[in-house]
Amino acid sequence: MSKPTADHLPVVVIGAGPIGLAAAAHLVERGIEPLVLEAGPSAATAVRDWSHVRLFSTWAELVDPAAEKLLAPTGWVRPDEGTYPTGGDWAERYLQPLADALGDRVRYGTTVTGVARAGRDRIVDSGRDEQPFTVHVTRADGHEERITARAVLDASGTWSVPSPIGADGLPALGEKSAAERISYRVPDLKDPAVRARYAGRRTAVVGSGASAFTALASLADLAKSEEDGTHAVWILRRGIGAGTYGGGEADELPARGALGLRAKAAVEAGHASAATGFRTEAVERDTDGRLVLVAEDGRRLDPVDEIIVLTGFRPDLSFLSEIRLGLDERLQAPSALAPLIDPNVHSCGTVYPHGVNELSHPERDVYLVGMKSYGRAPTFLAMTGYEQVRSVAASLAGDQEAAERVELTLPETGVCGGAGVFDDPDAAQSGEGGGCCAPAATLQIGIGSPAPSGGGC
C-alpha cells in the first residue's frame, strides 16, 4: 500500500493562540487540513496568562476575517467593534469559540519537542525537499508521538521566554537566586494575593515599553488607594525625554497614548521615581534580605522588596534545531522581515504589511508567524499576524498571486523619538539617537491598559 502524498498530509500549526487559530481558519478556507498543537489545556493559554490586561486594539482589529466566516454557522455574535477587550475577553469571547469551531483539528496538552524532515537531519541535502516533516510531540500524560506534516507554521509566540534583567541579555548576577522576589509579568493587582505582594512595598519596575507603563500606572493606583509605603522605582537604560512616555495624543492607538500619560502622571505625582541610564549588572541582598540593583557603572540603588522585569521576550528556537532557518543575527526574525522591524534602524511610521516572501526560510514550507516571526523585536499587531497567515495559506494552496497581494493597511502611530535598542542614556534627552520609535514601528497586543474612558467590553 502506497504512502499518502504530501498534499494529503495536514499542515501542522504550533500554538492555539490568535495567530495560530487564524492560520487554521485560513487553511480550512483554502481546503487544506490543519492540525493545531497546543501545549496548554485550552485555546489561547498565553493570552489567559494576561487575562487582566486590556488591549490597545479594539474588537474591530482583533477578529480575523476567515475566522469570522468559520464562526458564523455556530451562531457566534461579534462583540461591539469599538470596545477594547481584556485578554480574558479575547480568549473567552473569540479565541475559545474559534478553537471549538475547529473541533478535533485542535489538540490540547500537546507540546512540540522537535521538527525535522523525515529521515533527514539538518546536514543532509539529498532528497530533502521531497520529504515531509516529522513533528515530535509529548502529550500531557507523557506519551511521545511523531506526526507527519506537509508544512509547519510555528505560531507559538514568545511569551514563554521573557528577557532577563541583565543589560547584556543574560541574567544579572544574583537574578536567578532572587527568583522568588522577581516577576516577569504585569501584576494583576485585583488579585488579593498579588495585591498583598506589592502593597506597602517598594518595587523596581525594569523596562521602558508599554508593559512597564502598565505596571507603573497600576502601582500608582495602589499607592493612591490606601497603601502607605507603596512606591515604584522605574529602571530605565536611557534618560527621560519627549518620547519616553510614547505618543500621547498623537498615537493613533488612543488607549496606548493614554497609558503613557498615566505612567507620566505616576512619576510626576511622586508615586514612582526614575533611575535613568541604569544598565543592570547584578542583584544583591542587603543585611535585611531586601534586593539591591547594581549597575554596570557601579551605582547601587536603595533596596527594594520586589522587582518586576518587563524587558521583552525572545523566541524559543530549540525545537527547530534540525530545520534550516534563515534568521537575522540580531533579532532572530526571518532575514527578509528583520529590516522592516529592526528597532536599531527603523524610522517612524508603520511596518509594511508582509507575507510569504518575507517569512520564507531556506527550509521550504516552514514559517514562523505571529509574534514569533518578530523574534526579539519589541512590538506586534494582531492584524499583521492575520495578514501573514492569509498570505502563507494562499501560498500553500498554490495561489501565489493572492499570497503576494497586500490586503492590509496599518495605522501610523505618531510616536517618535528614542534611542533605538541600545538606549543611550543621553540620547532621549538630546532628541538624537540611533533609532526611532521602538514601539512605533509596529503596535503591541496584550500589554496595554487604557485610561478608564478608553472603553471596555
Side-chain angles (χ1 to χ4, degrees):
M1 183 173 165
S2 62
K3 294 183 179 179
T5 63
D7 287 347
H8 290 85
L9 295 172
V11 171
V12 163
V13 179
I14 305 174
I19 309 307
L21 293 173
H26 280 277
L27 290 167
V28 169
E29 187 175 53
R30 287 283 182 173
I32 300 172
E33 192 64 17
L35 178 60
V36 182
L37 305 178
E38 168 58 46
S42 63
T45 301
V47 174
R48 294 175 194 272
D49 277 353
W50 45 266
S51 61
H52 60 292
V53 180
R54 198 169 296 277
L55 285 90
F56 297 133
S57 301
T58 64
W59 274 112
E61 301 161 319
L62 296 171
V63 176
D64 175 79
E68 187 168 13
K69 291 178 185 177
L70 193 64
L71 282 164
T74 71
W76 180 77
V77 177
R78 185 185 182 107
D80 183 347
E81 291 190 351
T83 58
Y84 296 87
T86 63
D89 296 330
W90 202 18
E92 291 299 329
R93 300 181 62 185
Y94 167 61
L95 297 172
Q96 190 62 58
L98 176 55
D100 293 343
L102 287 163
D104 58 10
R105 296 183 178 102
V106 182
R107 293 188 191 177
Y108 302 112
T110 305
T111 300
V112 174
T113 58
V115 179
R117 286 284 186 182
R120 308 289 191 276
D121 64 21
R122 68 181 296 151
I123 299 174
V124 178
D125 289 333
S126 177
R128 187 176 192 88
D129 285 349
E130 288 71 45
Q131 294 299 309
F133 293 95
T134 56
V135 181
H136 294 226
V137 304
T138 301
R139 297 206 299 246
D141 61 4
H143 178 76
E144 295 180 335
E145 182 183 355
R146 289 182 181 177
I147 297 169
T148 307
R150 61 171 285 195
V152 176
L153 277 62
D154 183 357
S156 60
T158 59
W159 180 253
S160 63
V161 191
S163 296
I165 303 176
D168 59 3
L170 299 174
L173 297 175
E175 181 173 349
K176 292 181 180 179
S177 63
E180 79 283 359
R181 308 278 287 280
I182 300 176
S183 170
Y184 299 85
R185 304 286 188 258
V186 175
D188 180 5
L189 297 182
K190 293 181 180 178
D191 182 320
V194 177
R195 185 183 181 92
R197 177 174 179 175
Y198 298 102
R201 299 192 175 188
R202 184 177 170 87
T203 300
V205 177
V206 186
S208 60
S211 294
F213 293 169
T214 304
L216 289 169
S218 297
L219 290 170
D221 289 343
L222 181 61
K224 287 185 288 186
S225 59
E226 72 257 10
E227 306 295 348
D228 293 337
T230 303
H231 187 79
V233 182
W234 189 14
I235 311 300
L236 288 157
R237 293 173 185 170
R238 69 176 78 186
I240 292 180
T244 299
Y245 299 101
E249 295 180 359
D251 197 324
E252 285 197 15
L253 291 180
R256 185 176 62 180
L259 177 63
L261 296 178
R262 288 181 64 201
K264 182 178 182 181
V267 173
E268 292 178 345
H271 299 305
S273 53
T276 60
F278 195 96
R279 305 180 66 80
T280 306
E281 182 177 76
V283 180
E284 299 179 356
R285 292 181 185 266
D286 68 3
T287 55
D288 296 324
R290 301 176 78 197
L291 304 179
V292 177
L293 290 171
V294 182
E296 290 177 341
D297 60 9
R299 279 186 293 161
R300 304 170 65 87
L301 298 183
D302 291 338
V304 297
D305 302 290
E306 299 284 342
I307 302 174
I308 300 173
V309 183
L310 301 169
T311 51
F313 298 87
R314 53 189 62 178
D316 176 8
L317 300 169
S318 61
F319 58 86
L320 300 174
S321 62
E322 295 306 316
I323 293 298
R324 297 175 177 180
L325 299 177
L327 298 177
D328 178 76
E329 66 273 12
R330 290 163 296 185
L331 296 186
Q332 296 178 298
S335 298
L337 174 60
L340 303 180
I341 62 175
D342 188 349
N344 282 293
V345 297
H346 203 277
S347 62
C348 294
T350 169
V351 63
Y352 298 107
H354 54 275
V356 67
N357 289 338
E358 293 81 5
L359 298 172
S360 294
H361 294 277
E363 194 80 72
R364 194 178 69 188
D365 293 338
V366 169
Y367 302 96
L368 310 185
V369 296
M371 190 67 231
K372 191 160 186 176
S373 72
Y374 274 41
R376 297 195 186 196
T379 52
F380 183 75
L381 181 65
M383 289 190 297
T384 300
Y386 297 158
E387 173 68 1
Q388 288 180 343
V389 296
R390 181 206 62 78
S391 173
V392 169
S395 180
L396 291 173
D399 188 350
Q400 202 61 26
E401 187 277 329
E404 296 181 0
R405 184 174 62 239
V406 174
E407 296 187 4
L408 172 67
T409 301
L410 294 174
E412 297 207 10
T413 65
V415 186
C416 201
V421 165
F422 183 71
D423 293 337
D424 181 347
D426 298 323
Q429 299 196 31
S430 67
E432 300 173 355
C436 187
C437 8
T442 54
L443 313 178
Q444 206 156 16
I445 63 170
I447 37 185
S449 178
S453 60
C457 292

